[in-house]
């Protein structure tokens, strides 16, 4: 069973479109994250939710809107996609909010987004 | 200066070599130090975790933290082709919900 799963794995779309990426974890964790990894492999946190509440919101354009319908799911909706949004987006989860600081985070396989 | 600096490599070594991977950082508030391993087209996975200064050993892997120099290292002994991956250092401060800050990662190839 996959611990942290993301859909879709690949996403190719045109500039200006709106798209969503879904994430689910079956580990029973309380905290979930979205990371962006750019072409230079730089991994940067975007958002974190603990028990469905937003606890970290880094400097991310408001075209990006996370939604957590329950503890096991954290989705990412992106409006008006731009070329610079092309990257790999990773979802992750940790048992508690301490994962923000150092408790093990478990990463999904990533969603490769290409904006044309 | 970026908060966390890591040489991206690539680093290529023969099988059996000792590998040394390093990161430097500027934020003296960092207390938690981690090494993640990322295989191609996969998500990162936690390899080693250290709190504050000191050494930690796990099998062929040793993590070292020198807070006075703001320098952390990961040593891999008897390297194997299966160790070929990108290694990312990550660290965070103690207070509040300060998130992990990752280095850019060092790409390692172990040649059989």
């Amino acid at each position: 069973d996959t611990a942290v799963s993301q859909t879709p794995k690949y996403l190719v779309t045109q500039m200006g479109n709106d798209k969503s990426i879904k994430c689910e974890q079956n580990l029973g964790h309380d905290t979930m994250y979205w990371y962006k990894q750019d072409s230079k492999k730089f991994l940067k946190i975007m958002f974190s939710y603990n028990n469905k509440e937003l606890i970290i919101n880094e400097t991310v354009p408001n075209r990006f809107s996370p939604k957590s319908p329950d503890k096991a799911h954290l989705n990412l909706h992106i409006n008006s996609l731009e070329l610079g949004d092309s990257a790999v987006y990773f979802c992750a989860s940790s048992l508690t909010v301490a994962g923000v600081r150092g408790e093990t985070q478990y990463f999904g396989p990533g969603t490769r987004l290409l904006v044309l | 200066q970026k908060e966390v600096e890591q040489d991206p490599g690539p680093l290529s070594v023969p099988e059996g070599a000792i590998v040394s991977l390093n990161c430097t950082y500027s934020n003296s508030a960092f207390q938690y130090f981690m090494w993640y391993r990322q295989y191609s087209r996969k998500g990162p996975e936690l390899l080693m975790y250290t709190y504050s200064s000191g050494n930690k050993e796990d099998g062929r892997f040793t993590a070292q933290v020198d807070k006075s120099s703001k320098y952390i290292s990961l040593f891999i002994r008897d390297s194997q082709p299966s160790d070929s991956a990108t290694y990312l250092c990550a660290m965070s401060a103690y207070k509040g919900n300060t998130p992990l800050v990752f280095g850019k990662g060092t790409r390692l190839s172990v040649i059989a």
Side-chain angles (χ1 to χ4, degrees):
Chain A
D1 274 350
T2 306
V4 182
S5 59
Q6 296 178 225
T7 53
K9 284 189 177 177
Y10 300 94
L11 189 51
V12 181
T13 188
Q14 300 285 333
M15 269 177 53
N17 284 351
D18 303 339
K19 290 293 179 185
S20 290
I21 308 172
K22 295 186 176 182
C23 178
E24 177 181 1
Q25 54 96 0
N26 62 6
L27 298 167
H29 288 172
D30 282 351
T31 309
M32 296 184 72
Y33 312 79
W34 276 112
Y35 285 87
K36 178 181 180 181
Q37 188 172 45
D38 61 24
S39 57
K40 296 181 179 178
K41 300 295 186 183
F42 192 49
L43 190 64
K44 188 168 170 54
I45 193 166
M46 301 171 70
F47 303 102
S48 178
Y49 273 72
N50 182 56
N51 280 320
K52 302 193 298 177
E53 290 195 20
L54 182 67
I55 57 171
I56 291 176
N57 184 353
E58 292 293 288
T59 308
V60 177
N62 57 15
R63 298 181 295 103
F64 290 79
S65 52
K67 281 190 173 55
S68 182
D70 56 56
K71 278 191 345 179
H73 296 84
L74 180 61
N75 304 322
L76 183 65
H77 187 76
I78 316 171
N79 288 326
S80 303
L81 278 156
E82 300 179 356
L83 295 177
D85 298 333
S86 296
V88 182
Y89 292 84
F90 286 101
C91 176
S93 73
S94 62
L95 182 60
T96 71
V97 72
V100 169
R101 292 187 295 279
E103 178 189 78
T104 305
Q105 293 186 21
Y106 295 83
F107 283 79
T111 295
R112 282 153 184 81
L113 171 65
L114 178 61
V115 182
L116 302 175
Chain B
Q1 181 190 12
K2 285 192 166 46
E3 273 196 297
V4 178
E5 300 272 7
Q6 184 176 9
D7 187 338
L11 181 62
S12 186
V13 302
E15 184 176 357
I18 296 175
V19 176
S20 173
L21 304 168
N22 312 293
C23 288
T24 59
Y25 62 95
S26 57
N27 188 345
S28 57
F30 286 148
Q31 297 277 354
Y32 300 88
F33 303 92
M34 283 133 280
W35 286 95
Y36 277 80
R37 178 174 61 196
Q38 185 175 18
Y39 290 113
S40 181
R41 297 196 168 272
K42 300 285 186 186
E45 55 178 342
L46 183 65
L47 195 60
M48 298 284 285
Y49 171 93
T50 312
Y51 172 68
S52 196
S53 283
N55 294 358
K56 187 172 184 178
E57 190 172 321
D58 183 1
R60 296 184 295 109
F61 298 89
T62 300
Q64 285 186 353
V65 175
D66 181 350
K67 289 187 67 181
S68 62
S69 303
K70 296 191 180 68
Y71 188 86
I72 70 170
S73 302
L74 177 71
F75 297 96
I76 307 174
R77 290 185 299 282
D78 187 25
S79 56
Q80 304 294 310
S82 58
D83 295 328
S84 298
T86 297
Y87 291 80
L88 302 105
C89 62
M91 48 198 80
S92 72
Y94 178 75
K95 290 185 178 179
N97 294 329
T98 49
L100 288 180
V101 179
F102 282 83
K104 282 190 175 182
T106 300
R107 188 174 166 189
L108 171 68
S109 292
V110 181
I111 312 300

